[in-house]
Amino acid sequence: QIAQARARICLFCVSLMESRRMFHFSFDSFYSEFANVLEQLETQFYSEALQKFQTSDFTAAGFSDANVPIQQFTSIQSDESTHTTVLEAAIQSLGSSAISGCNFDFSSVLTDVTTMAPVARLVENVGVGAYLGAAHLITDPVILTDAASIVTVEARHQTMLNVLNTGTAIPAAFDLPLVPQEVLAIAGAFISGCSTGITALPSLTVTNQGAITAGTSLSFQFDGMSSQDTSNLTCQMLTGG
């Protein structure tokens, strides 16, 4: 249920002007530090999943050949670890220091492979969105190129996990950009012990009662916009195809 709810989170856009007001300091340095936290999160998520789940767990989850997801998760974990190393070097080159002290708790979603796999898919979708959402704010062409070289690989992870979760490999012609406040609205629940300097947007809460299946009309509660008319707002699904 946790994975299902997260996989259906949709987010309201934050304007460019609001983002620029929040990031009045060097966004290149901030972006690298923030992205590094996300890459640390991804690295640890896959590391813990691979340590916890055995071949039999993947078989029990319905994978006909358990070696396929295990090999893919292992490869993805290696990529995320490499991204962390590269970003730490970029942070140092900008005269800053990586955010330290972050703890990541995935106990709620590493209960079994059936729960873990959709969350892995969501993690990769959020990663792609985070890089896209930062692109228009990065001023250093070297940092921008580094980010672009990472996001293309994250998109390959995204496609593979879509397939492993029996979804459409490429469900849309465009990916959804996410600014840091939106990223933390989804991933922030896993992070503690450190400050990114960003306040997460309130998450949407699915208010439907009973099982949610294909074709279900969803209703949400969003405390962040209680005084605004929401009748003309639309919702973009982050994953689902």
Side-chain angles (χ1 to χ4, degrees), residues 77-134:
Q77 190 278 337
S78 177
D79 289 343
E80 307 299 7
S81 179
T82 300
H83 293 166
T84 298
T85 301
V86 170
L87 286 168
E88 288 176 352
I91 293 167
Q92 292 179 359
S93 73
L94 293 169
S96 189
S97 300
I99 296 172
S100 60
C102 295
N103 298 310
F104 307 103
D105 182 3
F106 305 109
S107 58
S108 64
V109 295
L110 292 181
T111 53
D112 51 48
V113 171
T114 303
T115 302
M116 178 275 292
V119 174
R121 182 187 188 190
L122 179 64
V123 164
E124 295 302 327
N125 276 273
V126 171
V128 170
Y131 282 102
L132 287 178

